[in-house]
Amino acid sequence: MANLAQVALCTADLPRTIRTFVDVLGFFNAGGRPRWGEYASRVHELPTGDDTHVMMWWLVGRQEFVQIELFHHTSPAQRPRRPGWRPSDLGWVRFGVTVPDFDLTMRRLPGAGLTTMTSPVEVDGRRRVCVREPGADAIVEIMEETVGSHAPALAYVAASVSDLEGARRYFGEVFGFPEIQSDAIHRPEHEAMWGLDGARRACAVFRAGDVLLEVMHYETPRPKAPAADALLSDQGIMNVAIGHRDRAEMLDALAAAESLGATATTDPPPVSGATYLRISDRLSVELLLVPPDLDGAYGFSPQDLAPPGSAFAPEVAADLMARASDRDRE
């Protein structure tokens, strides 16, 4: 059964974005690798051909087969988000994470140079607040967890579309995600958290495995379409990945999407890997095939990134983090 397995960000400052998600929000590093050449160009639909260069990095929380993927493109050089962009404009616009200790997370924000967009609000007994992560210039909603947990989780991803019924056909019929109540994540008054106080919109919410997918159609403010020359390497949220364990299911989803007019950037992988789709509004959706025994190779498992005894080794880092947490609580 498919699930929403990934949200991918393009960041202008890879180390700073990693710091935000690891030191502030509590995610775990899961490794990464550089990519270059004509294949990387085709996957991301970039004009640089064999001169394409990109670094990618993975972060994981407590969910199985769910990750945050970071990209930093150097060729083509990453371009900043369009001036005047608003989270009602068409495309992937924001996402939310739950954290096990909301108060501790709030105390860590200033040390990483982060400020909240508003004061925290309470929704159904839980606190929430948004930050605009500067590396990716992406809106991240920080949500208080109500049950005991040791690590954060990806809670939802949101898109703005011009055709809500068309989005329903893709996410509901093609990708097989059941639609749930439209206010399962947010109500209209919550638009103020990301700067859209008074917005008028319709909404559809889908359960995509352990992550929710929120699709918005804004009447006001009137959404702008991406620029004609927009690239997937531009700063912001690149796309989401729908994860598959079974290749036959992935091929069925690809064929159904193409029957509705979606276009794929590459052929489907024979064993593991991905193909990117452009669906309605040219929204980018990745179909990702990862057999369970390859989770580590695709960044779905935490990885030790330093030798034993190093200040960055897990046992030393855990002690340093515990001391930092004690200082934060004082």
Side-chain angles (χ1 to χ4, degrees):
M1 193 70 176
N3 67 290
L4 200 152
Q6 177 195 95
V7 57
L9 311 178
C10 290
T11 173
D13 190 337
L14 185 61
R16 181 173 184 175
T17 301
I18 293 172
R19 179 188 180 189
T20 295
F21 283 97
V22 174
D23 286 357
V24 177
L25 299 176
F27 285 86
F28 304 104
N29 285 300
R33 64 189 64 168
R35 284 286 190 241
W36 59 84
E38 191 271 338
Y39 180 75
S41 170
R42 279 194 292 122
V43 171
H44 287 181
E45 300 175 286
L46 300 176
T48 39
D50 196 52
D51 192 43
T52 299
H53 296 90
V54 56
M55 183 67 192
M56 63 182 183
W57 196 260
W58 297 302
L59 303 160
V60 295
R62 60 179 170 79
Q63 297 151 298
E64 182 181 355
F65 201 27
V66 176
Q67 67 183 188
I68 296 171
E69 184 175 51
L70 306 178
F71 289 105
H72 178 69
H73 294 78
T74 56
S75 178
Q78 188 179 82
R79 300 181 301 188
R81 191 185 282 283
R82 179 177 63 188
W85 175 87
R86 292 188 290 187
S88 53
D89 290 344
L90 301 182
W92 296 105
V93 294
R94 55 185 159 81
F95 65 101
V97 299
T98 60
V99 294
D101 190 329
F102 187 85
D103 292 315
L104 179 58
T105 301
M106 292 301 100
R107 290 196 293 272
R108 287 175 172 170
L109 291 175
L114 297 167
T115 58
T116 62
M117 298 178 70
T118 65
S119 298
V121 302
E122 189 172 298
V123 180
D124 301 327
R126 295 178 293 178
R127 291 169 292 173
R128 302 181 181 183
V129 74
C130 290
V131 298
R132 196 155 169 171
E133 193 283 315
D137 197 14
I139 294 174
V140 183
E141 184 175 0
I142 303 170
M143 310 168 75
E144 185 174 25
E145 185 69 270
T146 57
V147 297
S149 64
H150 66 284
L154 180 63
Y156 79 88
V157 185
S160 172
V161 302
S162 65
D163 180 2
L164 193 58
E165 292 307 312
R168 280 190 167 105
R169 286 192 290 274
Y170 276 106
F171 294 115
E173 298 174 18
V174 171
F175 301 131
F177 299 142
E179 186 170 352
I180 60 177
Q181 64 270 26
S182 62
D183 62 354
I185 313 174
H186 299 107
R187 297 185 291 272
E189 62 266 27
H190 301 145
E191 295 282 335
M193 286 196 293
W194 43 85
L196 297 181
D197 190 19
R200 296 200 302 270
R201 85 292 194 274
C203 176
V205 178
F206 303 86
R207 186 171 296 282
D210 200 25
V211 182
L212 298 183
L213 176 61
E214 187 174 50
V215 184
M216 317 295 293
H217 171 66
Y218 285 93
E219 180 182 346
T220 60
R222 188 174 182 84
K224 294 180 181 178
D229 65 346
L231 297 175
L232 287 181
S233 57
D234 293 345
Q235 189 182 38
I237 302 176
M238 174 191 281
N239 61 15
V240 302
I242 297 173
H244 293 266
R245 298 300 199 180
D246 182 86
R247 187 172 186 268
E249 290 183 359
M250 178 185 178
L251 293 179
D252 287 344
L254 175 60
E258 290 179 327
S259 73
L260 287 184
T263 57
T265 61
T266 59
D267 293 332
V271 177
S272 65
T275 186
Y276 283 31
L277 298 178
R278 291 285 197 171
I279 62 172
S280 53
D281 294 313
R282 289 192 56 75
L283 203 65
S284 177
V285 174
E286 176 182 356
L287 297 184
L288 177 64
L289 175 64
V290 181
D293 58 350
L294 293 180
D295 275 359
Y298 281 87
F300 286 100
S301 303
Q303 290 192 16
D304 295 344
L305 304 177
S310 162
F312 300 101
E315 67 278 4
V316 178
D319 180 62
L320 294 174
M321 288 291 287
R323 294 180 189 179
S325 295
D326 289 341
R327 289 196 299 270
D328 287 337
R329 296 176 192 277
E330 292 176 355

